[in-house]
Amino acid sequence: MIVLGRSFVALVLLGALAVAPTEVLAQADGTCAPGQAPRFVFGFADLKAQLAAAMGEPMTCEFADPNGTGDVHQRTTTGLAFWRKSTNTPTFTNGFDHWAHTPNGWVAWTGNAIDPPNAYPPLVIEGFMQGCTAPDASLSGTCQCAINKLQERYAIGEFVQFAQRYLQDGVLPSEVSNLVVECVLEGA
């Protein structure tokens, strides 16, 4: 009878796991159904088509966010793909760099923020610029500065509220006028 040491058995098992097919590992982590291999579908497939090697390969099947947000996650060899239920936005991050397919197109950003930076639809920006420069075309730089600051600080929903207040009262909301003043003081 041959007696094998525990260390030897452990090394053999670890070696077997290292060469195990991805399907077996995915089933073991519980994200894939039996017989299902990890693959990118829907928005994650679009991300992969756009990002290619930067997104890596799927390591798991899609799974619900363990925090109960309603979001969907999928681990890859280079990071995490996730779909935000609240914004219907597929996103990929390697931990610092982020890419997303938003209603306004593809965006990329760096840092800790998991959601894409605010980006207003082109029609909103054009409308703002037309209204802002109507009294004087030389205000173009100041108006561009103001819309940039609005996008940085306020979500599109908040911007719409400002516009509604302006239409009701005929007075530029202080949030907007303060940004215009900032831009004038900056010499924009």
Side-chain angles (χ1 to χ4, degrees), residues 139 141-143 145-146 149 177-188:
L139 294 173
T142 301
C143 295
C145 172
K149 287 180 182 286
S177 61
N178 290 342
L179 292 180
V180 172
V181 169
E182 278 182 39
C183 291
V184 168
L185 293 174
E186 291 171 6

Side-chain angles (χ1 to χ4, degrees), residues 137-161:
S138 69
L139 294 173
S140 179
T142 301
C143 295
Q144 186 63 57
C145 172
I147 193 67
N148 291 346
K149 287 180 182 286
L150 283 163
Q151 289 183 94
E152 289 170 11
R153 298 181 190 177
Y154 301 103
I156 186 67
E158 295 170 299
F159 178 85
V160 168
Q161 289 175 349

Side-chain angles (χ1 to χ4, degrees), residues 67-84:
N67 296 318
T69 62
D71 296 351
V72 175
H73 293 188
Q74 186 171 20
R75 290 187 198 100
T76 79
T77 54
T78 59
L80 177 71
F82 58 96
W83 171 77
R84 299 282 280 173

Side-chain angles (χ1 to χ4, degrees), residues 36-56:
Q36 182 185 22
R39 63 188 180 99
F40 296 124
V41 296
F42 303 117
F44 294 165
D46 293 342
L47 282 169
K48 175 64 176 177
Q50 182 74 17
L51 301 176
M55 190 165 165

Side-chain angles (χ1 to χ4, degrees), residues 2-57:
I2 299 175
V3 178
L4 301 175
R6 284 186 177 169
S7 296
F8 178 76
V9 172
L11 285 173
V12 169
L13 289 173
L14 286 174
L17 284 175
V19 296
T22 306
E23 295 88 14
V24 173
L25 291 176
Q27 289 174 11
D29 78 6
T31 63
C32 291
Q36 182 185 22
R39 63 188 180 99
F40 296 124
V41 296
F42 303 117
F44 294 165
D46 293 342
L47 282 169
K48 175 64 176 177
Q50 182 74 17
L51 301 176
M55 190 165 165
E57 297 302 321

